[in-house]
Amino acid sequence: MSASPGSGVRRNLLPRLRGRLFHLWFLLSRPMTLGVRGAVFDRESNSVLLIRHTYVPGWQLPGGGVEAGEHMLQALERELMEEANIELTDAPELKSLHFNRQASRRDHVALFLVTQYRRLGDKKPDREIAEAAFFPLDALPEGTTPATLRRLAELFGGEVAGAEW
């Protein structure tokens, strides 16, 4: 018996289709979110950039979510510009990756150390950012978030990076 025309195509198509459907199901059932934060550090003044949002309390490192189709560095560049008028002039250093249980069961945050940058003027308050300013590491503002304090202790105080944000 000879195989019917197209049966080989069906045999090859079915596993590929099944693989694509499984991949789609996996993406829909197990979505992971990724965010970036930048510790923008001024060596001369031993200070770090912090921002204060209009919709959540506390001072924190600038950053935000990585959009679909966007690389982490692109997201960091975009967020630093949007939140603080900071332009990267060289590649930042990826320092750690953290699970952010407070955001969701699937959220992770990549922390970058930024030492090569250009400030393009003061950040004016808008609907998202109330303030953006540099603070000396030994004089952080009241209300600096616990996660921000942990990250700064890891970066500049020799603490071991924690798994959780």
Side-chain angles (χ1 to χ4, degrees):
M1 264 191 158
S2 67
S4 63
S7 64
V9 171
R10 270 187 257 132
R11 251 187 309 227
N12 291 333
L13 183 61
L14 193 56
R16 286 192 320 193
L17 181 59
R18 191 173 34 234
R20 287 179 188 240
L21 287 173
F22 177 77
H23 185 70
L24 179 61
W25 172 82
F26 185 83
L27 289 175
L28 293 173
S29 67
R30 292 179 174 88
M32 186 187 90
T33 55
L34 178 63
V36 293
R37 295 283 177 154
V40 180
F41 182 62
D42 181 337
R43 286 190 173 117
E44 280 185 35
S45 64
N46 198 41
S47 62
V48 66
L49 175 69
L50 298 177
I51 55 112
R52 193 170 59 79
H53 284 104
T54 58
Y55 53 89
V56 292
W59 288 91
Q60 54 195 289
L61 298 168
V66 178
E67 302 294 333
E70 187 176 49
H71 186 278
M72 285 191 306
L73 292 177
Q74 291 171 317
L76 182 64
E77 277 185 307
R78 175 179 49 75
E79 291 291 345
L80 290 176
M81 184 59 73
E82 288 174 2
E83 294 185 351
N85 285 339
I86 297 286
E87 176 183 67
L88 295 177
T89 58
D90 203 356
E93 182 181 356
L94 176 61
K95 296 302 278 186
S96 54
L97 189 60
H98 305 269
F99 175 50
N100 188 5
R101 184 184 312 274
Q102 294 171 335
S104 81
R105 298 178 324 153
R106 305 258 184 231
D107 192 54
H108 293 78
V109 179
L111 176 64
F112 289 88
L113 178 59
V114 177
T115 58
Q116 304 295 312
Y117 62 92
R118 180 178 14 253
R119 195 162 187 200
L120 303 177
D122 292 334
K123 170 65 177 163
K124 304 265 188 274
D126 58 29
R127 281 191 264 172
E128 181 186 7
I129 304 300
E131 297 179 76
F134 279 86
F135 295 93
L137 289 173
D138 61 357
L140 297 173
E142 187 175 325
T144 300
T145 65
T148 299
L149 293 172
R150 285 192 301 273
R151 299 298 78 84
L152 295 175
E154 293 162 3
L155 289 172
F156 304 109
E159 297 290 325
V160 175
E164 305 240 353
W165 183 254

